[in-house]
Amino acid sequence: MRMTRYTDYAIRSLLFAGAHSDRLVRIQEVADCYDISKNHLMKVVYRLGQNGLIHSVRGRGGGFRLASPPDEIYIGDIVQLFEPTTHFLDPLEGMSELPSLDPAREAFDDAIAAFHQVLNSYTINDLLHPPSSTHRQILEMIPSRD
């Protein structure tokens, strides 16, 4: 399973804007901070603006900021905006003529649904200020070797 760079850049842009919520941030600042292409980032920021995740101001002294508080922007929504579900996981594509694969297809559909459910339990704010209990919960999910 892989995410595109655009999804990565979108999340990074929103994190940067969330960390600097007291002002407009410039695309060049984000590009410099993460050492990424300004041209690619411009396309990402434009799409974030089209979808209401950021407010942008054009011209000299312009930039962008989050359109909503960081605890109202869900990571799953960002991923779904930039990644078609089939891009992530469709190992059975082109095999629909084989009815024996229907149970496997259901398992993969369930996995994709669970994937999105987990991502939608995290917000930009959670990534900016991760609660220490999250780390404990993750460790508790790892089976012990008894």
Side-chain angles (χ1 to χ4, degrees):
M1 183 178 335
R2 300 174 98 167
M3 282 195 313
T4 63
R5 286 190 179 148
Y6 285 107
T7 303
D8 177 31
Y9 294 172
I11 293 170
R12 288 176 191 236
S13 297
L14 293 170
L15 286 171
F16 193 91
H20 298 91
S21 60
D22 58 328
R23 63 181 178 85
L24 292 172
V25 297
R26 295 182 347 267
I27 291 174
Q28 187 65 55
E29 284 182 280
V30 180
D32 291 344
C33 177
Y34 296 117
D35 193 29
I36 56 181
S37 164
K38 180 182 176 186
N39 289 335
H40 286 21
L41 197 56
M42 288 172 61
K43 296 173 190 173
V44 169
V45 169
Y46 177 75
R47 190 158 179 199
L48 289 169
Q50 279 184 315
N51 287 279
L53 292 166
I54 61 166
H55 288 301
S56 58
V57 176
R58 296 180 67 140
R60 188 172 179 88
F64 66 94
R65 68 170 36 107
L66 297 180
S68 304
D71 61 344
E72 294 178 11
I73 301 174
Y74 292 90
I75 303 302
D77 292 340
I78 301 161
V79 171
Q80 284 184 308
L81 176 63
F82 284 87
E83 302 287 343
T85 302
T86 55
H87 173 78
F88 272 121
L89 188 61
D90 197 0
L92 305 177
E93 186 176 343
M95 297 184 168
S96 59
E97 67 279 355
L98 302 173
S100 63
L101 292 176
D102 287 343
R105 190 174 317 283
E106 186 175 328
F108 283 106
D109 289 344
D110 289 347
I112 290 170
F115 174 76
H116 286 295
Q117 182 179 3
V118 169
L119 287 179
N120 277 322
S121 70
Y122 289 91
T123 65
I124 291 295
N125 194 57
D126 293 329
L127 300 185
L128 288 170
H129 310 286
S132 59
S133 63
T134 302
H135 301 290
R136 210 174 323 111
Q137 290 171 351
I138 291 170
L139 290 174
E140 289 172 1
M141 291 170 47
I142 301 171
S144 62
R145 293 181 150 198
D146 290 10

